[in-house]
Amino acid sequence: MTAGESAKRKRKALEAVEPPLEAAIDLGTLPRQLGYVLRRAQAAVIQSYAGAFAEAGPRPAQFAVLTILDRNPGLSPSQVAGVLAINRTNFVPLFDSLVQRGLATRRPVKSNRRAHALYLTAAGKALFDKAARRVNTHEQLFAAKLGDGDLERLLELLHRLTGALADNVPPA
Amino acid sequence: MTAGESAKRKRKALEAVEPPLEAAIDLGTLPRQLGYVLRRAQAAVIQSYAGAFAEAGPRPAQFAVLTILDRNPGLSPSQVAGVLAINRTNFVPLFDSLVQRGLATRRPVKSNRRAHALYLTAAGKALFDKAARRVNTHEQLFAAKLGDGDLERLLELLHRLTGALADNVPPA
DNA sequence: TATTGTTATACTCTATAACTATA
DNA sequence: TATAGTTATAGAGTATAACAATA
C-alpha cells in the first residue's frame, strides 16, 4: 500500500455520512441491567420528590439525618453516618448544614471527651414533622402509581437485594 | 425568671451528656421510603459491579453509550444523550472520554453541517463485547441472589415506576 | 496504638446559562 | 428565530489520606 492510498482511505473513513435512519432506538440489554434500571428509577423518584418540595425543603440526605436523630437522639456522628452508609468524612459538612440552619446541635459527652452527641433543636423537630408528613403523602402517590401492593413488593425486593449484596462485603 | 436563672439554664442545656444507650438504631420510616431504599440498593449494586470490574473497565455511563452505539451506529449526540437521559451538555466530556480512549468517533453529516454522527471504532466494539459478557455474567449473580424470577419481577416494577413517573413530566 | 472527629482534596454526576455555526 | 454541538461553571455526592485530641 502506497502513502497516497493510505491517505485516500483515511480521508474516506472520515467522510461525511448520511443522517441516521429515524427508526426506534435499540437499547440492547440496558433494560435488563439492574444498574441502569435503578439509575433511571432513582432519577424519576428524585424528580418527583423535587416537585413536591418546590420551596427548598431538606435535601434527601438532610431528611435522613433528621429522621435518625428524631428517633435516636444523642447518637454520635459515626453512628448516624454508619447507619445511613454515609462516609464519616462527608457527614461533617452535611451535619454542619443542619447546624447552620438551626436544626441540630452537637453536645460534648461526659465519659468520652472525643465524642459528640447529636440532637435536633425544637426547630429541627418541627421541620422534620412537617417534611415527614409531606414525604409520606408523596409515598402514597408512588403506591397509587404502581397500584395494589406493588410498592410493598418493590420495597421488599430492593431490601432483599441490598441485604444479599451487603453480605458479600462484610465489615472489616 | 431572673437573668441569672436564664444563664444557668442555658449553660445546663449545653452541658455534657451521657453517651447514647447502645440499643438498635431506629430507622423510622426510611425503610418505607422509595428514595432512600433506591439509594441503598443502587449503592450496593454499584459496589458489586465495581468488584467485577476491578481493572478499570468502562464506567456505567460509558458502557451505556457503547451499548447504544453498538446497536444504533450513526446516532447524533443529542439522540444518544436523550435516550439515556443524560444532559446534552454532560454528554460532551463523556463521549470525549471514549474518543480519547480510541473507542468511538464523531463524523460529519452530509445533509446537515451542524450535526455529528457517532460510531464505535473496532477497539470500541471489541471492548463493548468483552464488557457486555462480563456484565451479563454479573446480572446472573443478581438473579441468583434474589432467586427464582425475582430479578425479573424487580426489573418490571422499576420499569413501571419509571414510566408512571415520566408520564407526569411530559417533554415540552 | 487505636479511635473520634475533622480538614483537605479530588473526581464524578448533575444542572444552567450562554456561545458558535449552521438551518 | 430555532437547532446542534459545545464551553464554562457551579452544586451535590462520594472517596482517600492525614491530622489533632483523646483513649
Side-chain angles (χ1 to χ4, degrees):
Chain A
M1 186 192 299
T2 71
E5 277 167 359
S6 176
K8 208 171 196 173
R9 183 174 293 177
K10 210 167 209 166
R11 218 174 296 123
K12 173 148 196 172
L14 292 172
E15 243 168 37
V17 293
E18 283 304 315
L21 303 173
E22 264 309 343
I25 294 176
D26 181 359
L27 290 178
T29 58
L30 289 180
R32 254 95 242 159
Q33 282 165 25
L34 205 40
Y36 175 78
V37 177
L38 280 171
R39 179 178 79 84
R40 297 300 296 261
Q42 209 196 4
V45 165
I46 286 178
Q47 279 291 107
S48 179
Y49 266 115
F53 278 87
E55 14 64 51
R59 301 193 59 75
Q62 292 176 324
F63 180 77
V65 174
L66 295 178
T67 301
I68 297 298
L69 292 182
D70 180 67
R71 296 294 190 108
N72 312 269
L75 289 189
S76 71
S78 289
Q79 285 176 307
V80 177
V83 78
L84 292 177
I86 295 172
N87 199 310
R88 262 188 337 173
T89 278
N90 298 328
F91 183 79
V92 177
L94 171 58
F95 193 78
D96 283 344
S97 74
L98 296 176
V99 172
Q100 279 162 24
R101 290 178 61 178
L103 304 175
T105 57
R106 294 172 170 94
R107 296 193 209 163
V109 171
K110 263 186 187 171
S111 55
N112 183 344
R113 287 168 54 204
R114 291 176 302 188
H116 286 172
L118 308 183
Y119 296 90
L120 296 188
T121 63
K125 286 193 185 79
L127 179 69
F128 168 72
D129 287 339
K130 189 174 140 197
R133 261 179 273 120
R134 207 120 40 113
V135 166
N136 289 335
T137 298
H138 206 74
E139 236 24 61
Q140 290 169 22
L141 183 144
F142 296 144
K145 291 268 180 191
L146 282 172
D148 199 27
D150 277 351
L151 177 58
E152 286 68 28
R153 269 183 276 278
L154 175 56
L155 289 170
E156 190 276 331
L157 285 165
L158 289 170
H159 280 297
R160 202 140 49 77
L161 175 71
T162 304
L165 294 180
D167 287 348
N168 273 5
V169 190
Chain B
M1 186 194 294
T2 70
E5 276 167 0
S6 176
K8 206 171 196 172
R9 181 173 294 177
K10 210 167 211 167
R11 216 175 299 126
K12 175 148 197 172
L14 292 173
E15 244 169 36
V17 293
E18 282 304 315
L21 303 173
E22 264 310 340
I25 295 176
D26 181 359
L27 290 179
T29 59
L30 289 181
R32 253 94 241 161
Q33 283 165 24
L34 206 39
Y36 175 79
V37 177
L38 280 172
R39 179 178 80 85
R40 297 300 296 262
Q42 209 195 3
V45 166
I46 286 178
Q47 279 290 108
S48 179
Y49 267 116
F53 278 86
E55 13 65 52
R59 302 192 58 75
Q62 293 175 324
F63 180 76
V65 174
L66 295 179
T67 301
I68 298 299
L69 292 183
D70 181 66
R71 297 294 189 108
N72 312 269
L75 289 188
S76 70
S78 289
Q79 285 175 308
V80 178
V83 77
L84 292 177
I86 295 172
N87 200 308
R88 264 188 337 175
T89 277
N90 299 327
F91 183 77
V92 178
L94 171 57
F95 192 77
D96 283 345
S97 74
L98 296 177
V99 172
Q100 279 162 24
R101 288 178 63 176
L103 303 175
T105 58
R106 294 173 171 93
R107 295 194 208 162
V109 171
K110 263 187 187 169
S111 57
N112 184 342
R113 287 167 53 203
R114 290 176 303 189
H116 286 173
L118 308 182
Y119 296 90
L120 296 189
T121 63
K125 287 191 185 79
L127 180 68
F128 168 71
D129 287 339
K130 189 174 141 196
R133 261 179 272 120
R134 207 118 44 112
V135 166
N136 290 335
T137 298
H138 206 75
E139 235 27 60
Q140 290 168 22
L141 183 144
F142 295 143
K145 290 268 182 191
L146 282 173
D148 199 28
D150 278 350
L151 177 57
E152 286 68 28
R153 269 183 275 278
L154 174 56
L155 289 170
E156 190 275 332
L157 286 165
L158 289 170
H159 280 296
R160 201 139 50 77
L161 175 71
T162 303
L165 294 180
D167 286 347
N168 272 6
V169 189

